[in-house]
Amino acid sequence: MRKFLLLLFFGLSVGCAEGELVEEPDAGTDMSEDDTSVDPFCGDGIVNGDDECDDGNDDDTDGCLNSCKLAYCGDGVVRAGVEACDDGNSDETDACNRNCEATTCGDGIVQEGEECDDGNEDNSDLCLNNCMEARCGDGEVGPGEGCDDGNQVDDDACSNKCQPSGCGDGIVQEGEECDDGNDINSDACLNTCALARCGDGVVELGEEECDDGNSDDTDGCLSTCELATCGDGIVQEGVEDCDDGNSINTDQCTNACEFAQCGDGIVQAGVEACDDGNNVDDDECTNDCALPGCGDGIVQDGEECDDGNTSNADGCLNTCVLATCGDGFVQPGIEECDDGNTSNVDGCLNNCTVASCGDGFVQAGVEACDDGNSTDTDGCRNDCSLARCGDGIVQAGVEECDDGNSDNSDACLNTCQLADCGDGFVQAGVEECDDANTNNNDACLNSCEVASCGDGIVQSGVEECDDANLDNTDGCLNTCVSARCGDGFVYSGIEACDDGNDLNTDECLNSCEVAECGDGFVQAGVEECDDANSVNTDSCLNSCESAACGDGVVWGGVEACDDGNMVNDDGCSNSCTSASCGDGIVQAGEECDDANLSNTDGCLNTCQNASCGDGFVQAGVEECDDSNTSNTDECLNSCEFATCGDGFLESGVEDCDDGNTTNGDGCSSVCGIEGCVPNADLSCGAPITSRNDAAGSTNIVNKWTCSTWTNSGPEMAYTWTPTVSGLVEVRVSGLSADLDLIVMQEVGDGCSQDSQASCIGFSARGGTIEEVLEFDAQAGETYYIIVDGFAGAVGNFTVEVRSTKQHVVLNERGGYAADADYLEILNTGACPVNYNGLVVEHYGTCDTARQTVTFTGMSNLPGGQTARVVESGAVAGRDITFNSCDLMYGDPSYTAICDGVCNRSTCGNLLDLLSASDVTTGHPDILTCASFTPAPVNVNPMTNGQSLNRVDFAPGYLQSNWAIGPASP
């Protein structure tokens, strides 16, 4: 509407100079010549008056309506890109809600056709996602449902009531034997939905007496579900002792199901002699159920006793007579023995005690005597042996002693006399010696002591002296040696010291004088030196200390100074040299001093700390140091060698440096500017359609070494790696802009626009003419194929790598020896080629008709491969030779390979042309047509003795028998 008003306005403008607008005045309007203003109106693009907005257009679907009011939801106009609908009302139940959104199931508003709409995606509430009310059978588990399988099958996992199937629901499911739908466990169907059976632990009313759920027959309920009773043959544990299942009362189990026992009043057959059922033991039946008799333990008439056993060693013999001493039976605890006789000299006395020493009876063959007393010092000892010297007992009035041994070194001699000094026997622990003499100058004194130093007696030949004291400072030492210098003892009043050695370096000299500084001897551990003089500037100070740097005394000829302190950075170093740079001491004004001349360590010869930039390479720390702040030379400011990938451009060495060694980001791994970043790999005969500004393209290169043009547009690059060497054609077609073709070979520096070595060629025909580049590709090499926009051009293209039918070599072979004649073509291209329909035609000068053969079955001849057809009916050993007419010059003799029908008059479809004269030396003529493009390719090799001039040429070759293989040698 706004555009229409503007056009109308301009259409009414009259009498205007160029570029001026004049509005036709309304009737009654007073308008002066100079008044060129226009009254504001809605649509003039200016907000005036009541306008809320004015965007100057007639688009009612943008933010400003044609009424110059701001668009809003509910204005009845759908705002493009903002509102899905706008019906101008607030009715939430129609197709458009109040938020200008198209109503849908799930928007929370119940529309026509919906049973409900809760605005959520939860299918487990009362309203499903399809806006239908949830109900049992809808396939969704809703409120109050345990399951919902959406079917009407009642015996599957979910019942028709939407509850999980289970025992007790009255429906027999898989895995259930029954289901009666009740909780009564005593009927024919248990609450577990298993059929009731004996042994299930539940008593089935009317069918079972009991059911304890086990197979144990010894409890109150049998495994047959009958109550246990006495006589059923099964012992009821805790109730019956036994149950033999019979009515015999005299066997081991009575009819009361109790074990048979003595006293039950029932004679057990084969076990009891009687059973009177009472506890009276002296009647006709004992309590053991045996008949009475001696040994039955019951004293009957005529018996003194009856202990009921067969032992004669107790108080009652087996004869039922009381035991007595002398009856020949030992009564334990009462008698020690009983030999049944009256002799007192054997091993058993008449009182039935065992004979023993001291009983007053000499036991024949056992005792030497027996005086019946305990006195051991009389003639008969207490062990009933006769007394003797050495028996260890002093016999009164006979022996002085008796120690019972043969040792003469104790207090009692073997003669039973007491030991004494001078008896000739050394009494252990009492005497040191006993030489049985009265000589006091030998090794044993009269006191039976061993002669020793200090006893006051000089032992002849052994001691020099013996003063009988322990004083080692007098004239006689404790060793009974006369005192002398060097004996280790200071002789009082004679020696100042005596250390007992011959060393002059300890505190006591060999002259037994005390060592002191200046005596000329170095006292070990005390003195460092002792030169016996008073000169303090030689190597030994007067304090007997070795002269040393730091002692405060300048050592003549050795030290330059000595300030007697350990301060190393004053005028005199701790090595007593005058301070200087290089002395290894950091003095005031020096940062360091390592005492060497090396400038490659941490301290320079100037005594300054080494640092990056000082011009010296610090070993192990810096790689280089060129003493400058440039990061573009071979040494960085970090004193590291400049390398590709360090992020600094090395002048004259690197073309770029992006801080990494990754190829494909514009700067190669060797820091050369990459001409392209390949986006994809090409394959033979597989064209790719794209744009040079599509995803994967770059806009890095504006000038290629391979090209003479400026290509400032984006470039799209591909790689291609042939598996076969041969001719190949790269074709860029379908151009919508002026795009050029550049081909380069990978030579180690990536896709670099500056590498002349990698340049294969370029094609720049201009405009939208397709670009074509043919080259000889090498197997295994990688080629970069780039489509770049000339002068910033951007557009569509299709790129393809292929070989053509022009890439062909024709061989006609004559048969030699046993070989048949054959005709073959070789694909010299790197890609497979479709040779179907290729025609070989020969026409000799003297031929009356052309001979032709057409190739079939050749839809995919691989690069470098040969297709061969063998002549039918060939004669082995027959050579094919030229006819004379084939060796003549000029037309019409020729051999041609054509793509379809050969038409030499126009040459439009000739792929190859060869005169017969080309096969002879000296006649290299090739017949061509000037209009043929591209130039023909020679058919080769054809040597003397070979020709295609055969009258049976056309019918003689089996056109259906092509075989693909390697080229002929």
mmCIF file with all atom_site columns, all heavy atoms in Angstrom, residues 543-563:
data_model
loop_
_atom_site.group_PDB
_atom_site.id
_atom_site.type_symbol
_atom_site.label_atom_id
_atom_site.label_alt_id
_atom_site.label_comp_id
_atom_site.label_asym_id
_atom_site.label_entity_id
_atom_site.label_seq_id
_atom_site.pdbx_PDB_ins_code
_atom_site.Cartn_x
_atom_site.Cartn_y
_atom_site.Cartn_z
_atom_site.occupancy
_atom_site.B_iso_or_equiv
_atom_site.pdbx_formal_charge
_atom_site.auth_seq_id
_atom_site.auth_comp_id
_atom_site.auth_asym_id
_atom_site.auth_atom_id
_atom_site.pdbx_PDB_model_num
ATOM 1   N N   . SER A 1 543 ? 103.749 -20.794 69.437 1.00 0.00 ? 543 SER A N   1
ATOM 2   C CA  . SER A 1 543 ? 102.737 -21.532 70.196 1.00 0.00 ? 543 SER A CA  1
ATOM 3   C C   . SER A 1 543 ? 102.705 -23.000 69.804 1.00 0.00 ? 543 SER A C   1
ATOM 4   O O   . SER A 1 543 ? 101.808 -23.738 70.198 1.00 0.00 ? 543 SER A O   1
ATOM 5   C CB  . SER A 1 543 ? 101.362 -20.911 69.953 1.00 0.00 ? 543 SER A CB  1
ATOM 6   O OG  . SER A 1 543 ? 101.033 -20.966 68.563 1.00 0.00 ? 543 SER A OG  1
ATOM 7   N N   . CYS A 1 544 ? 103.705 -23.393 68.974 1.00 0.00 ? 544 CYS A N   1
ATOM 8   C CA  . CYS A 1 544 ? 103.787 -24.776 68.471 1.00 0.00 ? 544 CYS A CA  1
ATOM 9   C C   . CYS A 1 544 ? 102.579 -25.151 67.614 1.00 0.00 ? 544 CYS A C   1
ATOM 10  O O   . CYS A 1 544 ? 102.121 -26.295 67.598 1.00 0.00 ? 544 CYS A O   1
ATOM 11  C CB  . CYS A 1 544 ? 103.981 -25.778 69.615 1.00 0.00 ? 544 CYS A CB  1
ATOM 12  S SG  . CYS A 1 544 ? 105.614 -25.641 70.377 1.00 0.00 ? 544 CYS A SG  1
ATOM 13  N N   . GLU A 1 545 ? 102.037 -24.142 66.920 1.00 0.00 ? 545 GLU A N   1
ATOM 14  C CA  . GLU A 1 545 ? 100.991 -24.373 65.936 1.00 0.00 ? 545 GLU A CA  1
ATOM 15  C C   . GLU A 1 545 ? 101.580 -24.154 64.552 1.00 0.00 ? 545 GLU A C   1
ATOM 16  O O   . GLU A 1 545 ? 102.420 -23.267 64.369 1.00 0.00 ? 545 GLU A O   1
ATOM 17  C CB  . GLU A 1 545 ? 99.817  -23.409 66.149 1.00 0.00 ? 545 GLU A CB  1
ATOM 18  C CG  . GLU A 1 545 ? 99.106  -23.622 67.485 1.00 0.00 ? 545 GLU A CG  1
ATOM 19  C CD  . GLU A 1 545 ? 98.051  -22.560 67.741 1.00 0.00 ? 545 GLU A CD  1
ATOM 20  O OE1 . GLU A 1 545 ? 98.458  -21.393 67.950 1.00 0.00 ? 545 GLU A OE1 1
ATOM 21  O OE2 . GLU A 1 545 ? 96.860  -22.888 67.724 1.00 0.00 ? 545 GLU A OE2 1
ATOM 22  N N   . SER A 1 546 ? 101.122 -24.942 63.576 1.00 0.00 ? 546 SER A N   1
ATOM 23  C CA  . SER A 1 546 ? 101.625 -24.763 62.218 1.00 0.00 ? 546 SER A CA  1
ATOM 24  C C   . SER A 1 546 ? 101.116 -23.442 61.684 1.00 0.00 ? 546 SER A C   1
ATOM 25  O O   . SER A 1 546 ? 99.950  -23.075 61.874 1.00 0.00 ? 546 SER A O   1
ATOM 26  C CB  . SER A 1 546 ? 101.143 -25.902 61.313 1.00 0.00 ? 546 SER A CB  1
ATOM 27  O OG  . SER A 1 546 ? 101.686 -27.127 61.731 1.00 0.00 ? 546 SER A OG  1
ATOM 28  N N   . ALA A 1 547 ? 102.046 -22.735 61.040 1.00 0.00 ? 547 ALA A N   1
ATOM 29  C CA  . ALA A 1 547 ? 101.645 -21.480 60.435 1.00 0.00 ? 547 ALA A CA  1
ATOM 30  C C   . ALA A 1 547 ? 100.564 -21.757 59.406 1.00 0.00 ? 547 ALA A C   1
ATOM 31  O O   . ALA A 1 547 ? 100.657 -22.703 58.620 1.00 0.00 ? 547 ALA A O   1
ATOM 32  C CB  . ALA A 1 547 ? 102.843 -20.809 59.796 1.00 0.00 ? 547 ALA A CB  1
ATOM 33  N N   . ALA A 1 548 ? 99.528  -20.920 59.411 1.00 0.00 ? 548 ALA A N   1
ATOM 34  C CA  . ALA A 1 548 ? 98.412  -21.105 58.483 1.00 0.00 ? 548 ALA A CA  1
ATOM 35  C C   . ALA A 1 548 ? 97.784  -19.766 58.188 1.00 0.00 ? 548 ALA A C   1
ATOM 36  O O   . ALA A 1 548 ? 97.855  -18.837 59.002 1.00 0.00 ? 548 ALA A O   1
ATOM 37  C CB  . ALA A 1 548 ? 97.375  -22.047 59.079 1.00 0.00 ? 548 ALA A CB  1
ATOM 38  N N   . CYS A 1 549 ? 97.179  -19.695 56.990 1.00 0.00 ? 549 CYS A N   1
ATOM 39  C CA  . CYS A 1 549 ? 96.474  -18.474 56.621 1.00 0.00 ? 549 CYS A CA  1
ATOM 40  C C   . CYS A 1 549 ? 95.326  -18.258 57.596 1.00 0.00 ? 549 CYS A C   1
ATOM 41  O O   . CYS A 1 549 ? 94.506  -19.151 57.825 1.00 0.00 ? 549 CYS A O   1
ATOM 42  C CB  . CYS A 1 549 ? 95.943  -18.601 55.188 1.00 0.00 ? 549 CYS A CB  1
ATOM 43  S SG  . CYS A 1 549 ? 95.030  -17.157 54.637 1.00 0.00 ? 549 CYS A SG  1
ATOM 44  N N   . GLY A 1 550 ? 95.293  -17.075 58.211 1.00 0.00 ? 550 GLY A N   1
ATOM 45  C CA  . GLY A 1 550 ? 94.251  -16.753 59.162 1.00 0.00 ? 550 GLY A CA  1
ATOM 46  C C   . GLY A 1 550 ? 94.729  -16.725 60.594 1.00 0.00 ? 550 GLY A C   1
ATOM 47  O O   . GLY A 1 550 ? 93.956  -16.445 61.503 1.00 0.00 ? 550 GLY A O   1
ATOM 48  N N   . ASP A 1 551 ? 96.056  -17.041 60.794 1.00 0.00 ? 551 ASP A N   1
ATOM 49  C CA  . ASP A 1 551 ? 96.562  -17.034 62.165 1.00 0.00 ? 551 ASP A CA  1
ATOM 50  C C   . ASP A 1 551 ? 96.990  -15.645 62.617 1.00 0.00 ? 551 ASP A C   1
ATOM 51  O O   . ASP A 1 551 ? 97.419  -15.433 63.757 1.00 0.00 ? 551 ASP A O   1
ATOM 52  C CB  . ASP A 1 551 ? 97.706  -18.035 62.336 1.00 0.00 ? 551 ASP A CB  1
ATOM 53  C CG  . ASP A 1 551 ? 98.855  -17.800 61.366 1.00 0.00 ? 551 ASP A CG  1
ATOM 54  O OD1 . ASP A 1 551 ? 98.928  -16.714 60.776 1.00 0.00 ? 551 ASP A OD1 1
ATOM 55  O OD2 . ASP A 1 551 ? 99.681  -18.734 61.179 1.00 0.00 ? 551 ASP A OD2 1
ATOM 56  N N   . GLY A 1 552 ? 96.907  -14.669 61.704 1.00 0.00 ? 552 GLY A N   1
ATOM 57  C CA  . GLY A 1 552 ? 97.256  -13.302 62.044 1.00 0.00 ? 552 GLY A CA  1
ATOM 58  C C   . GLY A 1 552 ? 98.740  -13.000 61.940 1.00 0.00 ? 552 GLY A C   1
ATOM 59  O O   . GLY A 1 552 ? 99.169  -11.864 62.183 1.00 0.00 ? 552 GLY A O   1
ATOM 60  N N   . VAL A 1 553 ? 99.532  -13.973 61.540 1.00 0.00 ? 553 VAL A N   1
ATOM 61  C CA  . VAL A 1 553 ? 100.986 -13.794 61.373 1.00 0.00 ? 553 VAL A CA  1
ATOM 62  C C   . VAL A 1 553 ? 101.328 -14.070 59.922 1.00 0.00 ? 553 VAL A C   1
ATOM 63  O O   . VAL A 1 553 ? 100.953 -15.128 59.392 1.00 0.00 ? 553 VAL A O   1
ATOM 64  C CB  . VAL A 1 553 ? 101.781 -14.746 62.295 1.00 0.00 ? 553 VAL A CB  1
ATOM 65  C CG1 . VAL A 1 553 ? 103.279 -14.518 62.133 1.00 0.00 ? 553 VAL A CG1 1
ATOM 66  C CG2 . VAL A 1 553 ? 101.362 -14.542 63.752 1.00 0.00 ? 553 VAL A CG2 1
ATOM 67  N N   . VAL A 1 554 ? 102.018 -13.129 59.272 1.00 0.00 ? 554 VAL A N   1
ATOM 68  C CA  . VAL A 1 554 ? 102.363 -13.311 57.861 1.00 0.00 ? 554 VAL A CA  1
ATOM 69  C C   . VAL A 1 554 ? 103.525 -14.295 57.764 1.00 0.00 ? 554 VAL A C   1
ATOM 70  O O   . VAL A 1 554 ? 104.623 -14.055 58.291 1.00 0.00 ? 554 VAL A O   1
ATOM 71  C CB  . VAL A 1 554 ? 102.749 -11.975 57.195 1.00 0.00 ? 554 VAL A CB  1
ATOM 72  C CG1 . VAL A 1 554 ? 103.151 -12.205 55.739 1.00 0.00 ? 554 VAL A CG1 1
ATOM 73  C CG2 . VAL A 1 554 ? 101.602 -10.995 57.287 1.00 0.00 ? 554 VAL A CG2 1
ATOM 74  N N   . TRP A 1 555 ? 103.240 -15.382 57.073 1.00 0.00 ? 555 TRP A N   1
ATOM 75  C CA  . TRP A 1 555 ? 104.257 -16.441 56.890 1.00 0.00 ? 555 TRP A CA  1
ATOM 76  C C   . TRP A 1 555 ? 105.212 -15.986 55.794 1.00 0.00 ? 555 TRP A C   1
ATOM 77  O O   . TRP A 1 555 ? 104.817 -15.819 54.639 1.00 0.00 ? 555 TRP A O   1
ATOM 78  C CB  . TRP A 1 555 ? 103.551 -17.729 56.539 1.00 0.00 ? 555 TRP A CB  1
ATOM 79  C CG  . TRP A 1 555 ? 104.418 -18.951 56.465 1.00 0.00 ? 555 TRP A CG  1
ATOM 80  C CD1 . TRP A 1 555 ? 105.746 -19.040 56.658 1.00 0.00 ? 555 TRP A CD1 1
ATOM 81  C CD2 . TRP A 1 555 ? 103.958 -20.277 56.181 1.00 0.00 ? 555 TRP A CD2 1
ATOM 82  N NE1 . TRP A 1 555 ? 106.177 -20.309 56.533 1.00 0.00 ? 555 TRP A NE1 1
ATOM 83  C CE2 . TRP A 1 555 ? 105.085 -21.117 56.242 1.00 0.00 ? 555 TRP A CE2 1
ATOM 84  C CE3 . TRP A 1 555 ? 102.714 -20.827 55.908 1.00 0.00 ? 555 TRP A CE3 1
ATOM 85  C CZ2 . TRP A 1 555 ? 105.010 -22.475 56.002 1.00 0.00 ? 555 TRP A CZ2 1
ATOM 86  C CZ3 . TRP A 1 555 ? 102.638 -22.180 55.681 1.00 0.00 ? 555 TRP A CZ3 1
ATOM 87  C CH2 . TRP A 1 555 ? 103.782 -23.007 55.721 1.00 0.00 ? 555 TRP A CH2 1
ATOM 88  N N   . GLY A 1 556 ? 106.457 -15.746 56.178 1.00 0.00 ? 556 GLY A N   1
ATOM 89  C CA  . GLY A 1 556 ? 107.441 -15.212 55.248 1.00 0.00 ? 556 GLY A CA  1
ATOM 90  C C   . GLY A 1 556 ? 107.618 -16.078 54.019 1.00 0.00 ? 556 GLY A C   1
ATOM 91  O O   . GLY A 1 556 ? 107.844 -17.278 54.119 1.00 0.00 ? 556 GLY A O   1
ATOM 92  N N   . GLY A 1 557 ? 107.517 -15.430 52.835 1.00 0.00 ? 557 GLY A N   1
ATOM 93  C CA  . GLY A 1 557 ? 107.715 -16.148 51.584 1.00 0.00 ? 557 GLY A CA  1
ATOM 94  C C   . GLY A 1 557 ? 106.551 -16.993 51.140 1.00 0.00 ? 557 GLY A C   1
ATOM 95  O O   . GLY A 1 557 ? 106.596 -17.598 50.065 1.00 0.00 ? 557 GLY A O   1
ATOM 96  N N   . VAL A 1 558 ? 105.518 -17.054 51.965 1.00 0.00 ? 558 VAL A N   1
ATOM 97  C CA  . VAL A 1 558 ? 104.365 -17.899 51.626 1.00 0.00 ? 558 VAL A CA  1
ATOM 98  C C   . VAL A 1 558 ? 103.090 -17.064 51.503 1.00 0.00 ? 558 VAL A C   1
ATOM 99  O O   . VAL A 1 558 ? 102.333 -17.209 50.553 1.00 0.00 ? 558 VAL A O   1
ATOM 100 C CB  . VAL A 1 558 ? 104.171 -19.008 52.679 1.00 0.00 ? 558 VAL A CB  1
ATOM 101 C CG1 . VAL A 1 558 ? 102.920 -19.823 52.373 1.00 0.00 ? 558 VAL A CG1 1
ATOM 102 C CG2 . VAL A 1 558 ? 105.387 -19.918 52.741 1.00 0.00 ? 558 VAL A CG2 1
ATOM 103 N N   . GLU A 1 559 ? 102.832 -16.215 52.471 1.00 0.00 ? 559 GLU A N   1
ATOM 104 C CA  . GLU A 1 559 ? 101.622 -15.439 52.473 1.00 0.00 ? 559 GLU A CA  1
ATOM 105 C C   . GLU A 1 559 ? 101.897 -13.995 52.054 1.00 0.00 ? 559 GLU A C   1
ATOM 106 O O   . GLU A 1 559 ? 102.947 -13.429 52.391 1.00 0.00 ? 559 GLU A O   1
ATOM 107 C CB  . GLU A 1 559 ? 100.985 -15.438 53.867 1.00 0.00 ? 559 GLU A CB  1
ATOM 108 C CG  . GLU A 1 559 ? 100.573 -16.817 54.359 1.00 0.00 ? 559 GLU A CG  1
ATOM 109 C CD  . GLU A 1 559 ? 100.083 -16.800 55.793 1.00 0.00 ? 559 GLU A CD  1
ATOM 110 O OE1 . GLU A 1 559 ? 100.504 -15.915 56.563 1.00 0.00 ? 559 GLU A OE1 1
ATOM 111 O OE2 . GLU A 1 559 ? 99.277  -17.689 56.138 1.00 0.00 ? 559 GLU A OE2 1
ATOM 112 N N   . ALA A 1 560 ? 100.956 -13.396 51.319 1.00 0.00 ? 560 ALA A N   1
ATOM 113 C CA  . ALA A 1 560 ? 101.057 -11.978 50.973 1.00 0.00 ? 560 ALA A CA  1
ATOM 114 C C   . ALA A 1 560 ? 100.496 -11.135 52.102 1.00 0.00 ? 560 ALA A C   1
ATOM 115 O O   . ALA A 1 560 ? 100.900 -9.979  52.283 1.00 0.00 ? 560 ALA A O   1
ATOM 116 C CB  . ALA A 1 560 ? 100.297 -11.714 49.680 1.00 0.00 ? 560 ALA A CB  1
ATOM 117 N N   . CYS A 1 561 ? 99.559  -11.696 52.854 1.00 0.00 ? 561 CYS A N   1
ATOM 118 C CA  . CYS A 1 561 ? 98.962  -10.998 53.974 1.00 0.00 ? 561 CYS A CA  1
ATOM 119 C C   . CYS A 1 561 ? 98.317  -12.008 54.888 1.00 0.00 ? 561 CYS A C   1
ATOM 120 O O   . CYS A 1 561 ? 98.162  -13.183 54.527 1.00 0.00 ? 561 CYS A O   1
ATOM 121 C CB  . CYS A 1 561 ? 97.907  -9.994  53.490 1.00 0.00 ? 561 CYS A CB  1
ATOM 122 S SG  . CYS A 1 561 ? 96.522  -10.791 52.586 1.00 0.00 ? 561 CYS A SG  1
ATOM 123 N N   . ASP A 1 562 ? 97.977  -11.604 56.099 1.00 0.00 ? 562 ASP A N   1
ATOM 124 C CA  . ASP A 1 562 ? 97.269  -12.468 57.035 1.00 0.00 ? 562 ASP A CA  1
ATOM 125 C C   . ASP A 1 562 ? 96.622  -11.564 58.063 1.00 0.00 ? 562 ASP A C   1
ATOM 126 O O   . ASP A 1 562 ? 97.303  -10.994 58.932 1.00 0.00 ? 562 ASP A O   1
ATOM 127 C CB  . ASP A 1 562 ? 98.214  -13.461 57.698 1.00 0.00 ? 562 ASP A CB  1
ATOM 128 C CG  . ASP A 1 562 ? 97.458  -14.601 58.368 1.00 0.00 ? 562 ASP A CG  1
ATOM 129 O OD1 . ASP A 1 562 ? 96.381  -14.357 58.940 1.00 0.00 ? 562 ASP A OD1 1
ATOM 130 O OD2 . ASP A 1 562 ? 97.936  -15.753 58.272 1.00 0.00 ? 562 ASP A OD2 1
ATOM 131 N N   . ASP A 1 563 ? 95.271  -11.368 57.910 1.00 0.00 ? 563 ASP A N   1
ATOM 132 C CA  . ASP A 1 563 ? 94.589  -10.444 58.805 1.00 0.00 ? 563 ASP A CA  1
ATOM 133 C C   . ASP A 1 563 ? 93.894  -11.151 59.959 1.00 0.00 ? 563 ASP A C   1
ATOM 134 O O   . ASP A 1 563 ? 93.167  -10.546 60.735 1.00 0.00 ? 563 ASP A O   1
ATOM 135 C CB  . ASP A 1 563 ? 93.573  -9.588  58.040 1.00 0.00 ? 563 ASP A CB  1
ATOM 136 C CG  . ASP A 1 563 ? 92.589  -10.429 57.236 1.00 0.00 ? 563 ASP A CG  1
ATOM 137 O OD1 . ASP A 1 563 ? 92.598  -11.665 57.386 1.00 0.00 ? 563 ASP A OD1 1
ATOM 138 O OD2 . ASP A 1 563 ? 91.806  -9.846  56.446 1.00 0.00 ? 563 ASP A OD2 1
#
